[in-house]
Amino acid sequence: MSWVYIENLKKYINENVEIKGWLYNKRSSGKIHFLQIRDGTGFVQGVLEKSKVDEEIFENAKRLRLESSIIVQGKVREDPRAPSGVEIEVSNLKIVQVPIEDYPIGKKEHGIDFLMDHRHLWLRSKKQFHILRIRHEIVKAIREFYDSRGFVLIDTPIFTGAIGESAGNLFQVNYFDYGKAYLAQTGQLYLEAACMAFGKVYNFGPTFRAEKSKTRRHLTEFWMNEAEVAYYEHEDNMKLQEDLVSYVIQKTLEHAENHLKALDRDISKLEKIEPPFPRISYDDAVKLLQRKGFNIKWGDDIGGDEETAISQEFDKPVIVFNYPRHIKAFYMQPDPQRPEVVLCDDMLAPEGYGEIIGASQRIHDYDLLVERIKENNLPLESYDWYLDLRKFGSVPHSGFGMGLERVVAWICGLRHIREAIPFARTLYRLHP
Ligand code: 4AD
Ligand code: MG
């Protein structure tokens, strides 16, 4: 009898198969056990009837606790009402382990802290199963997008000497004779070096920010995908972002529609996401916010609530471009026509999911970059190699970073980002 994964059961209608998994749930009457079985690829109901199996097998099934590991043999029956499309007529049941305690996650409602404390077990629950399967498809789509366009994957380091985005939220570690090292907030500066060597590059890895804010959008460790392209200017950059986000949505719909439906995600909202996206200048965004009653003036940063208010005006992601230079990072290219703003953009997801992309054209002029580093009181020496890139064949270049968990939260329709990553790290969480 062959071992078959639940996701493939439909190909085995009326055949006898073996499933290796765990007991997700159980309902019993005196004559019949309904076993909800999961195996990591899906969920299926096994029907164990007293009249059809050996007495001993039926009696054994009574001992099963939730999350018992079990190997089940039986015939696959078509069942159009079941989400998997099939059920199993169980003929044999082997018990690998009956849990030594009652499984702590039950049918009753648990608080979020309890669930996060039991994240190592909570991962087995249906909702988490669907979310992380969708995350997997999103990651695949991101890689596919770049690979199909001739980008080269460049893995950027996690230990860094120089700082990346801002001095404010760095994690420090001791690093031998060098004293302090920092965990990467971004791989951007390294990608800038790499794009001068490979033209079109991307990375995908964990980044770290010592965020003291406890919001539903912030993690201290999150995954970022960044892209950097030599000879790309602001407009090319925004176009690339639109294409990426649309591609990711379309591929996720194609490969994970069943999981999105299982989460009750309103898929019609995602189906609309295709280029072009609406664009609004920072200047107009401030006016829009003022009309909506926000106490904001030109020059102020746009916070989380403001982002939500802007995105509510649109049913696609909206690109807010050309922010004041003093609220953005030192490396951003000032607008030649208006040096008080920089050629940058933030992409805000619809439905209030906030900023999913931060982007800009980079300063390629040596003197201007030195001036901006000094203006920001950053140590020039740490940026020696970064400045070298402006000495040897410097060209305009642009890039961006997309926060994976924000994208997952948006696509899945999650209220909080903590469920968008297998093991979340936040101000108050390092365990499990
Ligand atoms: O806007 P950010 O800070 O941009 C950069 O780091 C640039 N160096 C990227 C680049 O141009 N190569 O971060 C990029 C994205 C944000 O738009 C957001 O989606 C996500 O990373 N992000 C976070 N996600 C979760 N938790 C946090 N604490 C995040 N901080 C940023
Ligand atoms: Mg940003």
Side-chain angles (χ1 to χ4, degrees):
M1 203 171 296
S2 49
W3 172 17
V4 173
Y5 281 104
I6 291 172
E7 64 182 350
N8 297 325
L9 280 176
K10 273 205 205 111
K11 295 181 214 152
Y12 293 82
I13 306 277
N14 293 328
E15 290 182 45
N16 281 302
V17 299
E18 183 171 84
I19 299 171
K20 302 185 181 192
W22 295 263
L23 183 70
Y24 187 68
N25 220 330
K26 188 176 93 168
R27 271 187 307 125
S28 300
S29 72
K31 292 182 181 143
I32 191 159
H33 297 298
F34 295 101
L35 311 175
Q36 295 293 329
I37 306 158
R38 57 167 200 89
D39 73 347
T41 72
F43 296 78
V44 70
Q45 174 162 276
V47 182
L48 181 53
E49 283 185 75
K50 192 171 184 174
S51 59
K52 295 197 178 153
V53 293
D54 289 348
E55 176 89 36
E56 194 194 336
I57 292 175
F58 194 82
E59 285 305 306
N60 269 343
K62 289 185 181 165
R63 297 197 288 124
L64 292 178
R65 288 171 139 163
L66 295 191
E67 287 303 320
S68 298
S69 35
I70 52 178
I71 298 174
V72 167
Q73 296 175 337
K75 193 168 172 185
V76 184
R77 273 199 310 231
E78 205 163 4
D79 179 6
R81 289 162 309 165
S84 62
V86 294
E87 69 176 22
I88 305 285
E89 205 179 294
V90 179
S91 54
N92 198 4
L93 167 74
K94 292 183 214 162
I95 299 175
V96 182
Q97 193 212 19
V98 175
I100 54 187
E101 291 171 16
D102 276 339
Y103 191 61
I105 302 178
K107 270 188 240 164
K108 71 171 177 2
E109 285 284 315
H110 296 289
I112 186 67
D113 285 332
F114 177 88
L115 290 170
M116 287 302 284
D117 284 341
H118 292 84
R119 183 62 170 167
H120 52 295
L121 301 176
W122 190 26
L123 286 180
R124 305 179 186 194
S125 298
K126 261 186 189 160
K127 185 179 170 204
Q128 305 310 314
F129 168 79
H130 294 300
I131 293 169
L132 293 179
R133 285 254 165 187
I134 293 167
R135 178 182 163 114
H136 172 70
E137 292 299 338
I138 292 171
V139 171
K140 279 200 327 205
I142 293 170
R143 292 189 186 286
E144 233 173 62
F145 174 82
Y146 292 109
D147 295 344
S148 69
R149 289 178 173 227
F151 281 66
V152 177
L153 174 70
I154 297 290
D155 300 309
T156 49
I158 286 172
F159 286 134
T160 61
I163 59 172
E165 272 303 296
S166 68
N169 50 12
L170 285 161
F171 279 110
Q172 287 186 359
V173 290
N174 294 324
Y175 201 83
F176 309 113
D177 292 344
Y178 285 94
K180 300 245 177 303
Y182 305 97
L183 300 185
Q185 296 170 314
T186 170
Q188 175 193 324
L189 280 58
Y190 301 94
L191 281 190
E192 287 187 55
C195 85
M196 299 302 165
F198 297 92
K200 298 178 279 188
V201 296
Y202 74 102
N203 71 4
F204 204 162
T207 43
F208 305 86
R209 304 217 179 158
E211 304 275 7
K212 293 269 169 57
S213 50
K214 196 188 174 204
T215 79
R216 59 198 181 88
R217 292 175 186 168
H218 287 92
L219 297 166
T220 53
E221 176 180 310
F222 63 98
W223 279 64
M224 186 159 32
N225 154 239
E226 297 177 274
E228 197 72 31
V229 186
Y231 289 105
Y232 258 32
E233 299 191 20
H234 193 23
E235 174 62 33
D236 309 308
N237 196 25
M238 290 190 283
K239 182 82 184 36
L240 183 66
Q241 296 157 44
E242 283 176 348
D243 286 353
L244 167 68
V245 171
S246 305
Y247 184 91
V248 168
I249 296 282
Q250 296 311 322
K251 286 292 158 182
T252 308
L253 285 170
E254 203 176 299
H255 298 302
E257 196 182 356
N258 54 333
H259 297 297
L260 290 165
K261 284 188 171 151
L263 293 176
D264 280 330
R265 181 66 168 110
D266 183 350
I267 285 172
S268 67
K269 292 209 166 110
L270 297 174
E271 282 167 342
K272 292 194 192 110
I273 312 297
E274 49 182 45
F277 293 174
R279 297 181 186 181
I280 175 173
S281 68
Y282 169 88
D283 302 346
D284 288 340
V286 169
K287 286 181 201 147
L288 170 75
L289 289 167
Q290 286 169 342
R291 280 202 303 280
K292 291 187 131 207
F294 282 88
N295 181 17
I296 184 173
K297 57 182 189 315
W298 198 94
D300 293 347
D301 206 354
I302 294 179
D305 293 341
E306 284 93 346
E307 283 174 1
T308 301
I310 296 169
S311 69
Q312 273 162 358
E313 301 290 304
F314 307 95
D315 54 9
K316 288 187 198 182
V318 51
I319 292 178
V320 184
F321 61 91
N322 294 16
Y323 285 64
R325 94 186 213 179
H326 71 270
I327 56 171
K328 285 292 183 183
F330 71 95
Y331 51 70
M332 294 186 179
Q333 174 71 40
D335 183 346
Q337 261 77 57
R338 257 183 93 193
E340 73 277 16
V341 302
V342 282
L343 300 177
C344 72
D345 69 272
D346 280 0
M347 188 188 287
L348 313 180
E351 302 173 70
Y353 284 94
E355 180 196 324
I356 50 171
I357 286 181
S360 74
Q361 185 171 329
R362 325 301 192 188
I363 294 175
H364 60 281
D365 181 75
Y366 181 85
D367 293 328
L368 182 55
L369 187 57
V370 170
E371 190 187 311
R372 292 287 286 144
I373 291 175
K374 286 184 181 158
E375 226 174 82
N376 281 270
N377 295 318
L378 297 168
L380 259 188
E381 349 43 279
S382 314
Y383 291 91
D384 55 349
W385 66 266
Y386 189 63
L387 282 163
D388 263 0
L389 306 174
R390 276 76 183 168
K391 285 187 190 165
F392 304 103
S394 190
V395 298
H397 59 288
S398 305
F400 62 87
M402 178 169 78
L404 175 64
E405 287 76 18
R406 299 243 182 120
V407 172
V408 172
W410 164 41
I411 293 180
C412 292
L414 308 177
R415 274 211 341 275
H416 199 293
I417 195 173
R418 66 192 153 212
E419 287 177 59
I421 187 165
F423 294 93
R425 296 288 176 254
T426 63
L427 183 52
Y428 298 114
R429 178 145 320 263
L430 196 55
H431 174 91

